[in-house]
Amino acid sequence: MPVINTVLVANRGEISRRIFATCRRMGLGTVAVYSEPDRDAPFVAEADTAVALGGFSPAESYLRGDAVIAAALRSGADAVHPGYGFLAENASFAQAVVEAGLTWVGPPVTAIETMGSKLASKRLMAEAGVRTLPSVDLTCLSEPAVAEAAERIGYPVLVKASAGGGGKGMRVVEGPGQLTEKVAGARREAAAAFGDDTVFLERFLQAPRHIEIQLLADTHGTTVSLFERECSIQRRHQKIIEEAPSAVIDEPMRLRMGEAAVAASEAVGYVGAGTVEFLFEDGDFYFLEMNTRLQVEHPVTEMITGLDLVRLQLLVAMGEPLPAEAAEPRWNGHAIEARLYAEDPEADFLPVTGTLDRVRFPRLAGLRVDSGVEDGSTISVHYDPLLAKVVAWAPSRREAAALLARGLADAELHGSVTNRDLLVRVLRHPEFVSGHIDTHFLTRHNPADLGAPLAGVETERRAAVAAALAAQAANRTRAGVLATIPSGWRNVPSTFQQVSFRGRHGIIDVGYRFGRDGKIEVSGFERCRTLELSPTRVGVELDGLLSWHTIDRHGDTVYVTGTGGPVKLVELPRFPTTESEEELGSLHAPMPGTVLRVEVKEGEDVSEGQVLVVMEAMKMEHTLRAPHDGTVASLHTAVGEQVEANTVLAVVTET
């Protein structure tokens, strides 16, 4: 049996921290590998040993299998755990790990090779009698042949990358006019993410649910289903909310799907943890793909079964049989996971870079947070913008959704735009609460509306009052010898202090004064009473409504967390300066990245929606299109150029 004393995790972020935590509980040593942007990341500090891979992009660091294996040998590790993403489903890397004399914490190389290709796995499942969706491999097909294949399948069709997952290299094609552009875009994105540009067409279902079966197999002939997860809430074909069990799967269907997944696993001699994914519609299911690794959403299975899947992976890698609690699993209650991303739902889920000033989650029974960031963490342009997985367990689905929504709403996430407010609104949406969901939920419901700030006008107004009073409390603390005088006190009682903030809903002017008796008056409110007043915490009753606020100030930006939703305010200067106007029609880089293509020339006439520039950032392509009919007045970029966020790339004058 393989002996494992030290595990190297060939990954980064929250999954590395998650694996390290299990290793510590098992008494195993840990090794982290890291790129230059991750040098000061939390996962690096938590490992017993860390080895620098160098480089900035994934291709220069985490995708360098030779460098990862060299790090394992140098550090004295016995085993390599790939986590998920990067090299987790790379058969060549798994083979190289084994050939280096290390234990591979994953399935056999042959299983990765077969199931790592969506095309090969679909053929295998069809031979095994599992239903699959009609599809066509586009390899070596001419453009007319691709068009003919799409017509044969029937629009809309889905372009998919054969390798990898996570929504990369996927495009929905509504009609023939979009086919060429979307196939080309899917090829480029697949090549950049997985090193393989093989794509295929597949029938696009109109209202399916995404159901997957968690599998576990040991080397002693035991393969078990650890029940299903539902992952139907998606954006860009990538899951953002997952749950276990599914609200729509009854026990007979659960057994059918579990048996199909086990059969698929046994057909390739699978060992370890893996997931078989299906699309479910109208009482039937279709094989989608098999993930030969641990999934991002594995915590919901752990929460309902009480099992540690990473521990079980390690035991299997050591040659141990599955323990009784895994061989005969049971489930209890309901768990829901939300993926918290640094992205803007109001801007088509555009990833966001920057620095996180504060990351705090409330301590609630049943709430679990797997996070790769902390205060001061930098969101890099080089990697997926996942910040944390927030998971709630409760006896019922409705309770789990309410608990998760509360945990997210009360979190302090300062310094970056996130999808938190969208997640909260989805979890509280009547369709979600009733369980009537499918993979097109975010097509039916506008993400920009769901992603708008939770706090309304009145919540923002009261938050501004709390921010103003907290600032005065901070002034009193700094004053030292004047601390006995009420903050905001003035010789002339009739004079109000004035401060203005810019919030989501506009400019908020706050006028307040402290009387000689210590009472506070706030303009616009008949009665004001403070129960707590400090630079970071304010309890204030305004016209009979008491609310508590946590204050976090960074320069002129004030984050207020309290009842009604989090609020971001910017304190305005007393004497504002004028800013120069930018040239009309300017198109900006949405984030730092690399320019892949420039499709127009200066002086060229363009139509509204025409592609002008294509960028790559955070492993995804971002297309800048003409905002209106007009002329390209100027271009300020070229192919291959690295650009910063908000850089003007082109100017289109309107005609």
Side-chain angles (χ1 to χ4, degrees):
M1 289 186 179
V3 175
I4 297 178
N5 294 308
T6 303
V7 179
L8 179 142
V9 180
N11 219 284
R12 63 183 299 276
E14 45 78 33
I15 184 57
S16 291
R17 300 180 82 181
R18 163 77 183 84
I19 295 169
F20 292 159
T22 293
C23 287
R24 285 193 295 271
R25 287 193 293 271
M26 296 178 70
L28 304 179
T30 57
V31 181
V33 289
Y34 63 92
S35 65
E36 283 303 308
D38 283 338
R39 179 174 292 274
D40 298 318
F43 78 93
V44 176
E46 291 183 11
D48 296 326
T49 304
V51 181
L53 295 174
F56 287 81
S57 69
E60 298 169 325
S61 54
Y62 299 106
L63 289 174
R64 287 189 57 207
D66 58 337
V68 172
I69 292 172
L73 297 173
R74 178 184 174 191
S75 63
D78 312 296
V80 173
H81 192 304
Y84 43 69
F86 296 130
L87 296 168
E89 294 179 284
N90 187 305
S92 297
F93 175 64
Q95 182 64 43
V97 168
V98 174
E99 291 176 353
L102 301 166
T103 297
W104 169 249
V105 186
V109 173
T110 53
I112 299 175
E113 287 175 335
T114 302
M115 290 305 199
S117 165
K118 293 183 178 65
L119 285 167
S121 62
K122 282 168 71 73
R123 286 192 290 268
L124 180 65
M125 291 302 100
E127 292 170 3
V130 180
R131 293 187 67 182
T132 63
L133 293 169
S135 61
V136 175
D137 183 357
L138 300 187
T139 304
C140 299
L141 291 189
S142 64
E143 193 168 310
V146 171
E148 181 183 341
E151 292 288 348
R152 189 164 62 249
I153 292 173
Y155 288 100
V157 295
L158 188 63
V159 187
K160 297 179 67 174
S162 180
K168 302 296 188 297
M170 293 180 69
R171 303 284 194 281
V172 177
V173 184
E174 300 290 347
Q178 301 176 340
L179 186 62
T180 300
E181 178 188 337
K182 293 201 173 185
V183 167
R187 287 190 194 278
R188 288 192 303 271
E189 197 167 87
F194 317 121
D196 183 347
D197 69 353
T198 304
V199 298
F200 63 97
L201 295 183
E202 183 178 81
R203 176 180 293 169
F204 182 69
L205 297 181
Q206 295 296 334
R209 300 174 78 120
H210 189 130
I211 309 292
E212 60 189 31
I213 304 295
Q214 175 67 61
L215 296 173
L216 205 58
D218 63 20
T219 57
H220 300 267
T222 300
T223 302
V224 296
S225 164
L226 299 183
F227 315 112
E228 82 280 358
R229 297 187 290 254
E230 175 154 3
C231 313
S232 295
I233 304 298
Q234 305 178 1
R235 58 98 175 94
R236 291 200 185 109
H237 311 291
Q238 188 176 45
K239 310 157 190 173
I240 57 172
I241 293 179
E242 303 103 346
E243 58 182 306
S246 167
V248 75
I249 302 298
D250 58 19
E251 192 57 30
M253 181 58 70
R254 181 171 292 117
L255 290 173
R256 281 182 60 199
M257 297 183 79
E259 289 170 356
V262 168
S265 169
E266 292 177 340
V268 293
Y270 200 83
V271 173
T275 308
V276 177
E277 303 194 356
F278 299 98
L279 289 179
F280 180 89
E281 188 176 61
D282 297 331
D284 212 339
F285 58 91
Y286 306 86
F287 174 80
L288 186 61
E289 63 188 30
M290 183 173 187
N291 292 286
T292 55
R293 55 176 168 81
L294 200 64
Q295 291 277 79
V296 178
E297 59 272 20
H298 76 273
V300 294
T301 296
E302 295 184 330
M303 297 285 269
I304 66 165
T305 62
L307 300 172
D308 182 335
L309 295 186
V310 173
R311 170 178 172 265
L312 295 172
Q313 281 186 299
L314 291 167
L315 291 177
V316 168
M318 294 178 191
E320 298 285 343
L322 289 176
E325 64 271 20
E328 299 178 3
R330 298 180 179 182
W331 62 273
N332 176 45
H334 202 97
I336 307 177
E337 172 183 293
R339 300 192 196 184
L340 183 68
Y341 283 97
E343 64 183 18
D344 188 355
E346 295 183 280
D348 195 26
F349 296 102
L350 186 72
V352 178
T353 58
T355 301
L356 292 165
D357 296 321
R358 175 177 288 185
V359 182
R360 299 279 193 282
F361 292 92
R363 295 180 179 274
L364 299 172
L367 193 71
R368 164 178 165 176
V369 179
D370 290 2
S371 176
V373 297
E374 59 187 14
D375 293 3
S377 289
T378 298
I379 305 165
S380 170
V381 68
H382 299 292
Y383 309 116
D384 187 279
L386 179 66
L387 302 179
K389 301 179 305 191
V390 187
V391 194
W393 179 92
S396 70
R397 184 177 185 275
R398 186 180 293 268
E399 291 172 286
L403 175 61
L404 182 54
R406 176 64 185 268
L408 288 165
D410 289 352
E412 298 176 57
L413 306 167
H414 304 161
S416 174
V417 175
T418 73
N419 66 336
R420 178 257 303 277
D421 292 1
L422 175 136
L423 295 171
V424 172
R425 280 204 176 89
V426 171
L427 291 164
R428 292 173 174 170
H429 196 282
E431 274 188 35
F432 184 87
V433 174
S434 68
H436 296 151
I437 57 175
D438 56 57
T439 57
H440 305 316
F441 180 93
L442 288 177
T443 302
R444 292 193 303 277
H445 303 288
N446 187 355
D449 294 337
L450 292 171
L454 295 170
V457 174
E458 186 60 22
T459 295
E460 195 168 81
R461 180 186 177 210
R462 291 173 179 270
V465 172
L469 297 181
Q472 282 301 326
N475 292 339
R476 179 177 58 191
T477 300
R478 287 192 297 267
V481 295
L482 299 177
T484 57
I485 301 175
S487 176
W489 183 86
R490 291 293 184 270
N491 288 327
V492 182
S494 61
T495 301
F496 276 80
Q497 283 206 85
Q498 297 288 334
V499 61
S500 296
F501 299 94
R502 183 175 65 249
R504 171 62 183 237
H505 301 288
I507 304 299
I508 308 165
D509 298 315
V510 179
Y512 64 94
R513 66 183 176 192
F514 287 71
R516 291 188 176 91
D517 56 3
K519 291 184 178 180
I520 304 174
E521 294 180 65
V522 178
S523 59
F525 295 94
E526 294 183 5
R527 299 184 307 280
C528 176
R529 180 171 67 98
T530 57
L531 281 77
E532 183 178 349
L533 183 56
S534 76
T536 59
R537 180 77 170 167
V538 174
V540 61
E541 183 181 314
L542 297 168
D543 288 350
L545 180 62
L546 172 63
S547 54
W548 297 90
H549 308 266
T550 300
I551 314 297
D552 180 29
R553 177 181 282 268
H554 296 270
D556 293 332
T557 302
V558 187
Y559 298 95
V560 184
T561 305
T563 306
V567 172
K568 177 184 177 182
L569 301 167
V570 177
E571 185 173 344
L572 301 178
R574 294 182 63 188
F575 306 104
T577 58
T578 59
E579 297 182 358
S580 59
E581 290 189 3
E582 186 179 78
E583 191 172 357
L584 293 176
S586 296
L587 298 178
H588 301 82
M591 61 190 307
T594 304
V595 176
L596 295 180
R597 292 184 292 137
V598 178
E599 298 285 353
V600 293
K601 298 178 181 179
E602 287 190 4
E604 182 177 335
D605 292 334
V606 294
S607 303
E608 180 179 348
Q610 183 175 335
V611 176
L612 306 180
V613 178
V614 178
M615 291 179 56
E616 182 184 46
M618 290 187 170
K619 302 195 294 183
M620 295 181 62
E621 287 192 2
H622 305 278
T623 302
L624 277 70
R625 300 177 183 271
H628 44 244
D629 294 346
T631 302
V632 180
S634 58
L635 282 171
H636 302 281
T637 191
V639 173
E641 185 178 358
Q642 299 282 333
V643 297
E644 295 299 321
N646 296 318
T647 300
V648 176
L649 303 182
V651 178
V652 178
T653 56
E654 191 169 6
T655 56

